[in-house]
């Protein structure tokens, strides 16, 4: 019998501190940096974002998201046999955030690792989980996207600091006789590494290079709209489905204009697109599972719906997962 991977529960976590655009305008003004609610809403669709307090790490947000996902799936942490965390803001250089998360969930023994594919990280992690479940290497997997991007922001750079937020989303993925995940499609092109990066690194007890986020927004925008269409068409072809089969598009939540462009190209009305960028900003690897969990809990996404998840980001990386929920 063919073995498939199926999402059996979703969960998420947002740190309590919520900053509206007005809060960001006030905060930036203290450093003499000018921005406005109008600019941020018109160019990005973002109205608010959450920031984690000092001392709260990606593993903390991940742990809460995982507990919610485990509850939703009716699975106990002890049954989990693999944890994959997608993050670009790990608690430490090493060990992995997944290892720290495993201990916070009160379990031990199962394999755990982080995936680093920036805003495409959750798509990469879900793709790996799907492959390991299909081959029989794992049966009940926690796939998590968790980020504290606020730690990487340069609050003197208005072109980036208003865009990002913190949060986590998690799914339990289980082996199943029925799909589940229908097809996956992931890509990268490292020649674009410089257009979205945190160039600094640790060396000899010091940080060498700039440890804050740098982005050429227009270059990222142009690449994103192209590859998101390509990967959507590729994953549909792999699954033998068409745009008409998609009940919900759940894209990486970076910019409402990129999301609208993808929807237009796929001939999907905006009421089939899950939008949380207005309330969360760009939470990098967390954005897709966070949006998925919100849509499930708000009753938008229902059992049996066909979902197109799409990510794009630093690397340059991109990809998609088509699944029956
Ligand atoms: O998560 C990975 C994926 N990331 C993305 O998908 C991000 C992709 N890029 C974008 O979303 C957009 O390029 C941005 C939102 C980053 C920027 O939007 P844009 O329409 O490309 O604006 P721009 O960079 O062309 O800037 C237009 C103007 C500039 O002023 P001048 O030179 O025309 O006078 C900027 O200085 O807007 C100015 N500007 C701002 N003004 C007020 C830039 N940031 C701000 C700001 N507030 N926060």
């Amino acid at each position: 019998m063919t073995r498939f991977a199926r999402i059996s529960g979703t969960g998420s976590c947002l740190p309590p501190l919520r900053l509206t655009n007005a809060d960001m305008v006030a905060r930036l003004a203290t450093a003499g940096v000018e921005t406005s609610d109008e600019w941020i809403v018109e160019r990005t669709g973002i109205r608010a974002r959450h920031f984690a307090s000092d001392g709260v790490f990606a593993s903390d947000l991940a742990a809460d998201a995982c507990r919610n996902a485990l509850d939703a799936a009716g699975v106990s942490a002890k049954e989990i046999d693999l944890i994959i965390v997608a993050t670009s803001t790990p608690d430490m250089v090493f060990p992995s955030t997944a290892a720290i998360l495993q201990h916070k969930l009160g379990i031990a023994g199962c394999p755990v690792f982080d995936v680093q594919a920036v805003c495409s990280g959750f798509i990469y992690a879900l793709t790996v989980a799907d492959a390991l479940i299909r081959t029989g290497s794992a049966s009940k997997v926690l796939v998590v996207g968790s980020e504290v991007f606020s730690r990487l922001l340069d609050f003197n750079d208005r072109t980036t600091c208003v865009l990002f937020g913190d949060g986590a989303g998690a799914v339990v993925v289980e082996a199943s006789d029925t799909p589940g995940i229908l097809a996956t499609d992931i890509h990268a092109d490292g020649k674009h590494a410089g257009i979205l990066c945190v160039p600094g690194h640790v060396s000899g007890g010091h940080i060498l290079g700039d440890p804050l986020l740098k982005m050429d927004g227009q270059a990222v925008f142009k690449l994103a709209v192209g590859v998101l269409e390509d990967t959507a068409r590729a994953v549909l072809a792999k699954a033998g489905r068409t745009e008409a089969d998609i009940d919900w598009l759940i894209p990486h939540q970076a910019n409402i204009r990129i999301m609208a462009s993808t929807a237009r190209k796929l001939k999907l009305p905006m009421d089939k697109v899950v939008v949380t960028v207005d309330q969360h900003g760009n939470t990098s690897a967390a954005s897709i599972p966070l949006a998925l969990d919100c849509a499930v809990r708000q009753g938008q996404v229902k059992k049996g719906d066909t979902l197109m998840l799409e990510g794009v980001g630093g690397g340059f990386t991109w990809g998609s997962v088509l699944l029956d929920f």
Side-chain angles (χ1 to χ4, degrees):
M1 195 186 296
T2 312
R3 193 175 151 99
F4 297 99
R6 182 165 211 127
I7 293 178
S8 58
T10 68
S12 61
C13 169
L14 286 163
L17 178 62
R18 179 175 180 273
L19 288 101
T20 63
N21 289 347
D23 296 327
M24 292 299 285
V25 171
R27 179 173 179 165
L28 268 58
T30 61
V33 177
E34 204 181 307
T35 188
S36 67
D37 175 54
E38 294 73 29
W39 190 95
I40 301 170
V41 172
E42 189 191 310
R43 298 293 176 128
T44 71
I46 298 167
R47 294 177 185 277
R49 74 286 290 144
H50 291 248
F51 284 173
S53 314
D54 290 347
V56 173
F57 294 96
S59 65
D60 296 309
L61 303 180
D64 279 351
C66 286
R67 288 186 196 105
N68 293 334
L70 289 164
D71 276 355
V75 169
S76 103
K78 292 194 177 3
E79 295 173 74
I80 292 298
D81 57 11
L82 171 65
I83 301 176
I84 309 176
V85 175
T87 187
S88 298
T89 47
D91 294 20
M92 301 182 191
V93 173
F94 68 78
S96 68
T97 300
I100 299 165
L101 169 65
Q102 182 195 44
H103 185 59
K104 285 184 178 168
L105 292 174
I107 56 176
C110 69
V112 302
F113 59 89
D114 288 1
V115 164
Q116 162 58 290
V118 202
C119 303
S120 310
F122 183 76
I123 296 295
Y124 269 62
L126 198 52
T127 298
V128 173
D130 177 53
L132 291 174
I133 288 175
R134 280 172 185 269
T135 55
S137 301
S139 295
K140 288 188 198 308
V141 183
L142 273 169
V143 182
V144 193
S146 187
E147 301 282 17
V148 284
F149 251 59
S150 59
R151 308 274 156 78
L152 303 175
L153 299 179
D154 177 354
F155 289 97
N156 290 306
D157 177 6
R158 67 177 183 173
T159 69
T160 54
C161 73
V162 298
L163 305 177
F164 295 90
D166 301 340
V171 295
V172 178
V173 190
E174 296 190 55
S176 161
D177 296 341
T178 54
I181 293 176
L182 301 166
T184 62
D185 183 64
I186 53 174
H187 301 274
D189 185 349
K191 77 168 170 281
H192 301 297
I195 63 172
L196 176 49
C197 60
V198 177
H201 62 277
V202 177
S203 176
H206 303 282
I207 296 167
L208 298 187
D210 194 333
L212 299 175
L213 184 148
K214 306 285 163 220
M215 180 168 74
D216 177 345
Q218 288 193 2
V220 172
F221 194 105
K222 276 186 204 135
L223 271 175
V225 292
V227 297
L228 287 171
E229 180 185 10
D230 294 345
T231 187
R233 297 206 184 285
V235 82
L236 284 168
K238 285 183 190 181
R241 303 269 183 116
T242 71
E243 296 98 311
D245 295 316
I246 301 171
D247 293 306
W248 289 100
L249 175 65
I250 310 184
H252 171 47
Q253 308 281 317
N255 186 318
I256 191 71
R257 292 186 289 141
I258 297 176
M259 294 158 68
S261 154
T262 308
R264 222 171 16 249
K265 288 176 176 179
L266 297 178
K267 298 191 174 57
L268 292 173
M270 279 309 279
D271 59 10
K272 285 194 168 193
V273 183
V274 173
V275 177
T276 54
V277 68
D278 56 333
Q279 294 305 317
H280 303 162
N282 181 345
T283 58
S284 191
S287 91
I288 296 168
L290 196 44
L292 170 62
D293 186 52
C294 288
V296 169
R297 285 172 199 266
Q298 285 165 14
Q300 289 178 291
V301 166
K302 298 193 178 60
K303 279 272 164 236
D305 283 353
T306 299
L307 312 183
M308 165 80 77
L309 314 183
E310 281 201 294
V312 62
F316 204 70
T317 56
W318 65 98
S320 54
V321 174
L322 189 73
L323 62 92
D324 285 343
F325 187 69

